[in-house]
Amino acid sequence: QRASFSSIQVSDTYSGTPPTNGVLFGTDTQLYRSAANTLSLGSDDSLKLGDSSKIKLGDSDDLQIYHDGSDNHSYIKESGSGHLYIQATNLRLQSAAGGNILEGVAGGVVRLYHNDVKKLETTSTGVSVTGNLTASGEATVGDSASAAGLVVKRASGQSPFLQFNIGSNREAYIQASPNVFTIANDNANDIYFKTGAANNLILYHGGTLFSDKGGDLGTSASRWSTIYGAAGNFSGSILG
């Protein structure tokens, strides 16, 4: 039997055109605005909304929760002037299959996961990284970027660069480029040596060429105390 009172219909089973702006009581309790827009209280005690129907909260509909039937995506949207807060003592963001993506504990650790495997974890003194760390820009180690003790960088078009700072001033660096490896002190090139394209060793002292292929090793004022080598491997003069 079915009793109909204007837009209210009661039935154990129902077929036909749903009521417009009405309520249907049956296996599911359904509130209709039209045939395509339904709010149901399911027999499994679930609250159901159709595709693209929205839960709107706030006087200006600032917070909206819905599933978009056109792109098959689901949204939690905060469109007001305030923030969207998600508050919990222990917070986990997981995949639909239950795999961890992000985990946060109030007053404690935050963990990031890749494919449910922990890769980054914050600690009271910094962060711990599991696996490789790749940076496309400059990486600094120190109290701040302006007072970094160690800088690792590779600017566009440049060779890899390892820089040692005292305060904000560069004191020394190591650089590798095709056929050349350089270690230098920035204090007027006090110590500066590199390998050249011909695999020769080039040394500088005080900004002045100290030795080069075919040049001198040492000067009258800067002498090497002992030189070791196999017999017969020396050429030129050895001055004492």
Side-chain angles (χ1 to χ4, degrees):
Q1 300 294 324
R2 184 179 68 184
S4 178
F5 302 91
S6 182
S7 60
I8 298 178
Q9 300 185 36
V10 180
S11 176
D12 289 334
T13 59
Y14 181 79
S15 62
T17 303
T20 300
N21 297 322
V23 179
L24 173 65
F25 297 96
T27 303
D28 291 349
T29 300
Q30 299 177 331
L31 176 64
Y32 287 88
R33 185 176 64 80
S34 67
N37 293 275
T38 308
L39 172 64
S40 301
L41 178 61
S43 58
D44 57 355
D45 294 329
S46 61
L47 184 64
K48 302 177 182 179
L49 279 174
D51 283 348
S52 302
S53 295
K54 300 179 179 180
I55 297 175
K56 298 181 179 181
L57 302 173
D59 292 342
S60 300
D61 301 335
D62 293 338
L63 177 61
Q64 299 180 10
I65 304 173
Y66 62 97
H67 177 78
D68 193 325
S70 64
D71 59 17
N72 204 34
H73 297 318
S74 298
Y75 297 86
I76 300 175
K77 180 184 292 186
E78 165 57 51
S79 58
S81 59
H83 303 289
L84 176 64
Y85 289 93
I86 301 175
Q87 297 181 333
T89 302
N90 295 285
L91 177 66
R92 288 199 178 191
L93 179 64
Q94 295 185 323
S95 67
N100 288 317
I101 298 173
L102 180 146
E103 179 184 3
V105 178
V109 65
V110 174
R111 300 183 180 96
L112 292 177
Y113 295 79
H114 176 81
N115 196 25
D116 204 22
V117 177
K118 183 181 66 176
K119 292 299 181 181
L120 186 145
E121 177 177 294
T122 65
T123 69
S124 60
T125 57
V127 296
S128 175
V129 176
T130 301
N132 298 326
L133 179 63
T134 302
S136 60
E138 183 175 300
T140 62
V141 178
D143 294 336
S144 65
S146 61
L150 179 65
V151 180
V152 182
K153 62 182 179 179
R154 182 176 183 176
S156 178
Q158 292 186 358
S159 302
F161 207 87
L162 181 62
Q163 175 176 313
F164 301 88
N165 289 8
I166 297 179
S168 59
N169 297 319
R170 188 179 79 175
E171 295 295 323
Y173 67 89
I174 300 173
Q175 185 174 19
S177 58
N179 300 316
V180 178
F181 179 76
T182 303
I183 299 178
N185 184 314
D186 266 6
N187 185 10
N189 283 329
D190 276 348
I191 303 172
Y192 179 8
F193 69 89
K194 65 181 181 178
T195 58
N199 294 321
N200 52 305
L201 180 63
I202 305 171
L203 295 168
Y204 290 81
H205 183 273
T208 302
L209 181 66
F210 192 71
S211 68
D212 196 354
K213 184 178 181 181
D216 297 332
L217 183 61
T219 66
S220 59
S222 301
R223 299 173 181 266
W224 295 73
S225 59
T226 305
I227 299 177
Y228 295 93
N233 285 351
F234 293 105
S235 62
S237 301
I238 297 178
L239 302 178

